[in-house]
Amino acid sequence: MSTDWINVEKKYYAQTVRRQPIVIIRGKGSKVWDVDGKEYLDFTAGWAVCNIGHNHPALVEAIQEQAQQLIQTSNAYYTIPQLKLAKILIDNSSLDRIFLCHSGLEANEGAIKLARRYGLTKRDGAYEIITALNSFHGRSVTTIAATGQAHYQEKFKPLTSGFVHVEFNDLSAIMEATSHKTAAVFLEPVQGEGGVNIPSNDYLKNVQTWCRQHNILFMLDEVQTGMGRLGSLFGYQEFDVQPDVMTLAKGLGGGVPIGAFMSTNSAMSLTYGDHGSTFGGNPLTSAAAYAVTKHIIDNDLAANARTMGKYLMNLLEGLKSQFSFITEIRGRGLLIAIEFDDDISARVLEKTNHAGILLNAVKPNALRLMPALNITTEEITQGVERIEKALTQL
Ligand SMILES: *Cc1c(COP(=O)(O)O)cnc(C)c1O
């Protein structure tokens, strides 16, 4: 019974996350099942993580095979899955070098260290990093300092210093914030946790030009937007730019915890002894991420995300004309938000849970949809029917 496990959580687990009252025990493709046998269409995909769907055979087999061969050694030695993963990501991106870790925040910590080293060695000790308001870069003391949302920071001061926050999608704000102390600009191509905020088409291109003119690193946090989510393998391709540094995590391992930061040769300022990790890029997680990356590329799931994203947004536009309290449908690829004219997300979620579809209340007045990239038109149609049913019951 769900309630039994919910009581165990209440008694034993740190009470830091408000969960939906659903105990998930199994997943397959775009569906999950709870402990009571109820089926849900999963439009959260493990939080923009299970990009090839839950428990895809390509991923399961890679994990099983590698688990029998070698799970962990140390970065004191060479291991093949790590190098295969490095090669496929470099071969398919504009970046030249990679460092593997375990999560989004850790990838960003690495990128921040890289930017500090870059400032120290190439820009006279510059150390400041410009980030955007409403951004999200992780939950460590340094990455909450990078994150442009006060509520993540207030209870944990003093934070790491050296971050300047500016309005997103506003080049002039970056220009004004730039000084001799600036080492890097660090942005999400589309802000995910901040509410699916999509910049104008030329914003990133103009930021890139500004950074190049001033010898500042142009860094993109693609933890959420990477690995096909926006309709291209990497989000930067959607905006016709090439970052000096890019971070990945979420979708990279398809459910296995792994992250990465990547950089161009000229930006790579870290050298021997500057960074390291016990587990980073270990054989098990690397083999899984290699299988996922290869599957996304071989099957062009990024293109499918683009097509399915359009299909889904069209159906959601239909809901918008049906329900006057929906004010906007916005998105890119399969990262989509439904905005309401009032703070009803929590109430809507109660109904959508009941109707059998998992969604995220990304803001009090907005829901986020981030399904698997290989979701089908049938599953999307069925999902939107369930959302419609839920909205009718409000
Ligand atoms: C989720 C997310 C992070 C943090 O990743 P974790 O793996 O939770 O540490 C950082 N940046 C962006 C853009 C994210 O969406």
Side-chain angles (χ1 to χ4, degrees):
M1 277 281 288
S2 287
T3 44
D4 299 340
W5 290 108
I6 288 167
N7 287 332
V8 172
E9 195 268 0
K10 204 165 251 135
K11 178 147 190 247
Y12 294 104
Y13 208 85
Q15 300 291 292
T16 64
V17 182
R18 282 187 207 285
R19 304 178 198 249
Q20 299 301 312
I22 300 169
V23 181
I24 297 172
I25 57 163
R26 191 161 66 87
K28 186 78 199 150
S30 284
K31 291 183 180 148
V32 294
W33 289 266
D34 73 11
V35 69
D36 303 314
K38 182 176 164 75
E39 174 204 288
Y40 300 84
L41 280 162
D42 184 4
F43 278 43
T44 63
W47 236 246
V49 164
C50 305
N51 284 10
I52 68 171
H54 289 279
N55 294 36
H56 193 285
L59 173 59
V60 173
E61 281 162 25
I63 293 171
Q64 284 173 338
E65 266 175 39
Q66 190 57 45
Q68 286 173 342
Q69 189 76 19
L70 180 71
I71 293 175
Q72 161 78 4
T73 156
S74 157
N75 281 307
Y77 312 104
Y78 298 88
T79 50
I80 295 166
Q82 178 185 93
L83 299 174
K84 282 172 73 177
L85 177 60
K87 185 170 184 328
I88 197 173
L89 287 169
I90 302 294
D91 286 350
N92 288 281
S93 73
S94 61
L95 290 304
D96 304 312
R97 291 194 177 268
I98 189 165
F99 182 97
L100 293 165
C101 54
H102 330 98
S103 67
L105 86 80
E106 231 191 322
N108 290 343
E109 288 269 354
I112 290 162
K113 281 179 74 178
L114 187 157
R116 292 238 175 141
R117 280 294 287 159
Y118 176 86
L120 196 64
T121 52
K122 302 225 172 110
R123 256 183 75 74
D124 258 355
Y127 60 88
E128 268 180 12
I129 299 174
I130 299 172
T131 64
L133 291 166
N134 289 315
S135 60
F136 184 79
H137 298 295
R139 299 287 210 126
S140 68
V141 172
T142 295
T143 54
I144 57 173
T147 292
Q149 301 191 54
H151 70 98
Y152 288 114
Q153 305 172 341
E154 274 151 6
K155 298 181 214 161
F156 304 100
K157 291 180 173 173
L159 305 178
T160 305
S161 58
F163 292 95
V164 181
H165 303 114
V166 299
E167 208 61 56
F168 186 57
N169 197 23
D170 180 354
L171 175 69
S172 64
I174 289 178
M175 293 164 115
E176 272 168 43
T178 302
S179 75
H180 66 281
K181 289 189 280 188
T182 311
V185 175
F186 191 25
L187 301 167
E188 295 158 87
V190 169
Q191 293 185 329
E193 304 299 313
V196 188
N197 306 318
I198 302 158
S200 54
N201 270 330
D202 58 357
Y203 171 64
L204 290 175
K205 194 144 205 182
N206 291 336
V207 174
Q208 173 178 267
T209 303
W210 176 257
C211 289
R212 299 271 145 86
Q213 280 169 356
H214 293 82
N215 200 22
I216 295 166
L217 290 182
F218 173 57
M219 311 206 300
L220 293 180
D221 179 344
E222 295 237 24
V223 166
Q224 186 154 161
T225 55
M227 306 314 294
R229 175 68 42 197
L230 297 189
S232 294
L233 186 57
F234 302 109
Y236 70 77
Q237 295 164 318
E238 288 287 306
F239 297 96
D240 197 20
V241 292
Q242 295 195 337
D244 301 307
V245 176
M246 167 171 82
T247 58
L248 297 173
K250 291 198 166 81
L252 178 56
V256 169
I258 185 165
F261 63 91
M262 301 171 71
S263 103
T264 60
N265 277 325
S266 62
M268 180 45 86
S269 316
L270 298 169
T271 59
Y272 290 113
D274 284 348
H275 203 50
S277 171
T278 300
F279 295 121
N282 97 345
L284 188 70
T285 54
S286 294
Y290 174 77
V292 169
T293 305
K294 189 163 175 351
H295 185 83
I296 289 173
I297 293 169
D298 289 352
N299 295 280
D300 203 358
L301 291 188
N304 197 59
R306 189 180 314 145
T307 316
M308 290 302 120
K310 284 190 183 132
Y311 183 77
L312 174 52
M313 283 192 40
N314 256 334
L315 293 184
L316 295 176
E317 284 293 343
L319 291 187
K320 181 174 170 250
S321 43
Q322 195 179 336
F323 298 97
S324 60
F325 54 84
I326 298 179
T327 53
E328 190 184 27
I329 307 297
R330 58 173 179 271
R332 190 60 94 95
L334 282 172
L335 185 56
I336 297 169
I338 307 174
E339 190 155 296
F340 306 118
D341 65 0
D342 205 354
D343 292 350
I344 58 169
S345 297
R347 267 176 56 215
V348 174
L349 226 55
E350 253 177 62
K351 303 292 184 195
T352 49
N353 286 343
H354 192 71
I357 179 166
L358 302 184
L359 299 166
N360 159 234
V362 71
K363 297 211 292 191
N365 69 336
L367 299 181
R368 178 172 43 163
L369 293 72
M370 41 187 169
L373 309 186
N374 55 6
I375 192 166
T376 62
T377 50
E378 291 74 32
E379 287 162 335
I380 288 176
T381 309
Q382 197 180 21
V384 174
E385 278 166 11
R386 291 183 189 183
I387 296 172
E388 180 185 7
K389 184 175 158 206
L391 293 178
T392 312
Q393 292 168 347
L394 272 187

